[in-house]
Amino acid sequence: MVPFLRKIRKSLLGKSSIGRYVLYAIGEILLVVVGILLALQINNWNEDRQRREIERKTLRDLKVEFTENLNDARRVYEGNMGVYRATARLQQNAKAGRYALEETDSLIFYLFDWFDYTPKPGASNNLINAGNLNLIRNEELRYLLTLWSGVEAELDDDEQLSISYSQNTIVPFLAAHYPISNLENYDFTLTHYDFKQTLHASEPLPERQVYDPETLLDDPVFMSHVSTKKMHAVHNAMECQRVVESCEEILELIQKELLEQTKP
């Protein structure tokens, strides 16, 4: 192409046709400009394609992260609701004078236990920390991702307060006023793991120790601990519900974006 244009230029100069040469020069300039613009457009298309591919990968990673977060938040929500129901039942039994030993033990296990939401940070942290949030084109999704750390932090604040109270106040009280070994009958943690190498499946649980549930349920200090645990469970469940709702909103938007990007 270039040798061809040079021949035309020489031909026009040789004929001393200034007007034609000017037209030729303008045409050559326009041709160069069009070539540059076309190259820039192709480059922009390639960059946009690469950004969209990065966005798709990021959306898939976010989907995995928030699916895990949603499952764990639901687990913790149900756990806290279980604590709430158990503590409410203890209050009802104390008020009604119901002091059945086995039921009291099963309810006290919830008083002894606690639940901790464990987020799975990954794509969202990387996206925000690297300043790449603009890779996500959906404005609503970007907004929810910027709020996410605050939603988690509020739940964590309530959880840490509840866990600290359980560990530092309730457990020492139970150790002094109640046979904690009775709670082993209600601890099903070991069923989630394989302890065949260290524990014998036939190993008996400790014998249930007899105590006076009436004295325990009539103790105002114990019932204050029950009330406090119940309030913590309610607050944690409420904050956990916010986490669940945030995860569901984020996942819905992620799925919507992924479906949009698969359309021809």
Side-chain angles (χ1 to χ4, degrees):
M1 176 65 75
V2 173
F4 175 73
L5 292 174
R6 285 175 180 171
K7 288 181 180 179
I8 295 175
R9 186 191 307 129
K10 287 180 180 180
S11 175
L12 291 173
L13 287 174
K15 296 177 181 179
S16 300
S17 180
I18 300 301
R20 291 182 180 179
Y21 179 76
V22 170
L23 289 176
Y24 162 79
I26 293 172
E28 188 173 357
I29 292 171
L30 289 175
L31 186 61
V32 171
V33 169
V34 169
I36 292 173
L37 292 176
L38 184 59
L40 289 173
Q41 185 61 47
I42 293 173
N43 185 61
N44 289 338
W45 285 337
N46 287 333
E47 287 184 358
D48 186 64
R49 181 180 58 80
Q50 291 173 0
R51 284 173 62 85
R52 297 291 68 83
E53 183 57 38
I54 294 173
E55 182 188 19
R56 280 192 293 272
K57 183 181 183 306
T58 302
L59 288 171
R60 290 192 291 266
D61 290 343
L62 286 170
K63 183 177 179 180
V64 172
E65 175 184 340
F66 281 94
T67 298
E68 291 291 327
N69 287 339
L70 176 60
N71 291 337
D72 199 50
R74 284 174 173 166
R75 173 189 66 84
V76 175
Y77 173 80
E78 291 300 328
N80 278 294
M81 290 305 297
V83 171
Y84 170 77
R85 288 188 288 268
T87 49
R89 181 72 174 177
L90 277 170
Q91 290 175 327
Q92 293 166 4
N93 287 355
K95 184 177 180 180
R98 294 192 294 264
Y99 305 116
L101 190 69
E102 188 170 340
E103 183 187 18
T104 302
D105 282 344
S106 68
L107 297 175
I108 288 177
F109 179 78
Y110 286 92
L111 188 68
F112 170 83
D113 202 7
W114 56 82
F115 296 87
D116 188 12
Y117 167 70
T118 306
K120 311 297 187 295
S124 59
N125 276 1
N126 294 338
L127 202 62
I128 294 171
N129 293 338
N132 291 330
L133 198 57
N134 285 332
L135 281 172
I136 306 298
R137 288 175 292 176
N138 187 296
E139 292 184 6
E140 186 179 359
L141 179 55
R142 287 204 309 267
Y143 176 70
L144 291 176
L145 289 174
T146 59
L147 296 180
W148 173 246
S149 61
V151 174
E152 283 188 320
E154 289 185 16
L155 172 59
D156 185 62
D157 288 342
D158 280 0
E159 281 187 336
Q160 294 310 313
L161 180 62
S162 175
I163 291 171
S164 176
Y165 186 83
S166 295
Q167 291 177 333
N168 300 325
T169 303
I170 292 179
V171 172
F173 178 88
L174 289 176
H177 299 87
Y178 170 80
I180 290 181
S181 60
N182 284 8
L183 301 183
E184 289 192 43
N185 293 282
Y186 307 97
D187 185 3
F188 302 109
T189 304
L190 298 183
T191 62
H192 299 288
Y193 302 94
D194 184 3
F195 277 84
K196 293 179 181 178
Q197 301 300 321
T198 56
L199 296 176
H200 297 290
S202 60
E203 185 176 343
L205 291 169
E207 290 187 9
R208 188 186 300 274
Q209 298 185 41
V210 178
Y211 66 99
D212 184 6
E214 181 176 357
T215 299
L216 186 64
L217 294 182
D218 286 344
D219 186 336
V221 176
F222 174 74
M223 294 311 298
S224 291
H225 292 326
V226 171
S227 294
T228 303
K229 183 76 173 183
K230 180 183 175 185
M231 288 186 287
H232 281 163
V234 169
H235 291 164
N236 288 345
M238 289 173 58
E239 293 297 340
C240 218
Q241 183 60 29
R242 287 191 61 204
V243 172
V244 168
E245 291 171 356
S246 293
C247 285
E248 289 175 339
E249 285 184 80
I250 289 171
L251 284 170
E252 183 178 350
L253 290 172
I254 288 172
Q255 188 61 28
K256 179 181 176 181
E257 286 300 301
L258 288 172
L259 288 174
E260 283 292 328
Q261 294 189 19
T262 58
K263 291 180 179 179

